[in-house]
Amino acid sequence: MNAATLPAVDERADPDTGKLGMWIFLASEVLFFGGLFIAYLYGRTTWPQGWAAASRHTDVVLGTVNTALLLTSSAIVALAVACAEDETRQRWTAGLLWATATLGAAFLAIKGIEWHADWREHLTPTASFAIRVAGAQQFFALYFVMTGLHAVHMAIGVGVLAALAHARAHGRAWARAHHVEVAALYWHFVDLVWIFLYPLLYLVERHG
Amino acid sequence: MADDSIHSRDFNRSARAIAAAWFALIALMLASLGSAYLKLGPWNMMAGLAIAAVKSAIVAWLFMRLRESGALIRLVALAGLGVWFILLALSGVDYETRHVTRSTLQAPQQLQRSSAP
């Protein structure tokens, strides 16, 4: 057998291995966030008035802007994956990854502004909590845990996407298309979690 | 040359699907926002969750490429969701059938203070 008949390393490697690993991790993440969603459903059915009163104190404008930012970032990272796989458009990938990371950072900045306002309005679940309806405090306890854990995931995603963007811009081999796709899967999952957090935290009953 | 045009067609198709999905996601987000201002009772939550389910299906199917994934990856995705539903069902049975005596810790503290003489 001569060298020419040996399969190339890239062809031997199963391109689905990384994707499968990420999907298994994301399935475990479904259960990680899933427990919190179950706690939410329990609270909402136990204290419906408190939940509605508390949700009206969340900032629906900033929440909606953040939702739009995240949905847009997901679309852009999907485009980055398509570009990475297309020989004639590979040069766009780094820019699109930077754009995604920037939108993620903007999301985190807005979330920080929201948390600061929540703190000022005594919406942190402490003895000086502002809303005098049973269950409202429990809502905000869960609100901070869920949005906090989501923000941690976002921060990791921003870091990974920025590192990939930097590596692609400098021609690093590890930033190849398969790895961009795996990182994008993680980013889309963070988006998926927010898709459910948005109506559950910001839109309980706005008409009251 | 022929290869290039095939690649270009594939890319254009992907880009069009991504753009259409983005428009649909933003429209659904606005529908979800609007529904919260309608008096629907318990259907407020159902509407919010149903719209979120459609949005997440779009993200999973198109952006996360479940549409073109093999059986193994689809199975893993379904397994995560399936196990969560089992957790949800078992927790629900527990909460529905157990008599709950609330501890003082569970009562909002500012309510206790405001009701104190």
Side-chain angles (χ1 to χ4, degrees), chain A residues 126-190:
Chain A
T126 56
S128 63
F129 188 69
I131 310 167
R132 293 172 181 265
V133 183
Q137 216 169 9
Q138 279 82 348
F139 173 92
F140 268 99
L142 212 48
Y143 163 90
F144 282 110
V145 172
M146 291 172 114
T147 56
L149 282 173
H150 180 262
V152 169
H153 282 76
M154 288 280 301
I156 293 167
V158 168
V160 169
L161 291 175
L164 263 176
H166 183 265
R168 276 198 79 91
H170 290 81
R172 303 278 190 272
W174 66 267
R176 58 181 174 272
H178 289 148
H179 291 175
V180 175
E181 189 181 2
V182 171
L185 277 175
Y186 174 82
W187 191 257
H188 292 311
F189 176 79
V190 174

Side-chain angles (χ1 to χ4, degrees), chain A residues 23 34 42 44 46 72 75 85-86 89 127 131-132 134 137-138 181 185 188 192 195 198 203 206-207, chain B residues 7-8 11 18 22 36-39 44-45 52 56 63-65 73 84 95 102 106 108 110 113-114:
Chain A
W23 270 106
Y42 172 74
R44 184 152 173 183
T46 308
T72 306
E85 292 170 346
D86 188 280
R89 292 175 181 83
I131 310 167
R132 293 172 181 265
Q137 216 169 9
Q138 279 82 348
E181 189 181 2
L185 277 175
H188 292 311
L192 278 185
I195 283 174
Y198 172 60
L203 306 177
R206 282 278 157 188
H207 54 72
Chain B
H7 273 300
S8 197
F11 176 81
I18 290 166
W22 179 78
Y37 289 88
L38 302 174
K39 280 192 176 180
N44 273 120
M45 182 160 83
S56 57
F63 290 174
M64 299 175 90
R65 295 178 159 183
I73 282 178
W84 181 73
Y95 281 121
R102 298 199 191 289
Q106 286 173 293
Q110 88 283 4
R113 276 209 315 281
S114 62

Side-chain angles (χ1 to χ4, degrees), chain A residues 5-20:
Chain A
T5 61
L6 283 171
V9 174
D10 277 347
E11 285 170 11
R12 262 193 323 195
D14 183 352
D16 274 353
T17 308
K19 274 197 291 182
L20 182 63

Side-chain angles (χ1 to χ4, degrees), chain B:
Chain B
M1 204 54 195
D3 260 10
D4 278 356
S5 65
I6 289 168
H7 273 300
S8 197
R9 269 206 304 277
D10 282 350
F11 176 81
N12 290 342
R13 201 182 302 129
S14 295
R16 270 199 301 275
I18 290 166
W22 179 78
F23 273 112
L25 288 168
I26 295 293
L28 285 165
M29 177 194 78
L30 294 174
S32 182
L33 177 66
S35 76
Y37 289 88
L38 302 174
K39 280 192 176 180
L40 301 174
W43 292 99
N44 273 120
M45 182 160 83
M46 298 311 289
L49 285 178
I51 292 171
V54 175
K55 283 161 77 181
S56 57
I58 291 173
V59 171
W61 196 244
L62 291 173
F63 290 174
M64 299 175 90
R65 295 178 159 183
L66 279 183
R67 181 174 64 161
E68 55 205 74
S69 293
L72 188 58
I73 282 178
R74 287 183 183 181
L75 206 60
V76 171
L78 271 179
L81 202 60
V83 173
W84 181 73
F85 275 113
I86 292 170
L87 258 179
L88 177 67
L90 294 178
S91 306
V93 167
D94 190 26
Y95 281 121
E96 280 305 307
T97 56
R98 185 189 293 227
H99 178 69
V100 178
T101 309
R102 298 199 191 289
S103 68
T104 49
L105 188 70
Q106 286 173 293
Q109 292 174 26
Q110 88 283 4
L111 290 182
Q112 289 175 340
R113 276 209 315 281
S114 62
S115 62

Side-chain angles (χ1 to χ4, degrees), chain A residues 10 20 25 31 39-40 43 45 54 64 79 91 99 104 114 122 125 140-141 144 147-149 180-181 187 193:
Chain A
D10 277 347
L20 182 63
F25 170 67
L31 301 180
Y40 175 95
T45 49
T64 306
L79 202 58
R91 65 186 184 282
E114 262 190 275
H122 296 283
F140 268 99
F144 282 110
T147 56
L149 282 173
V180 175
E181 189 181 2
W187 191 257
V193 173

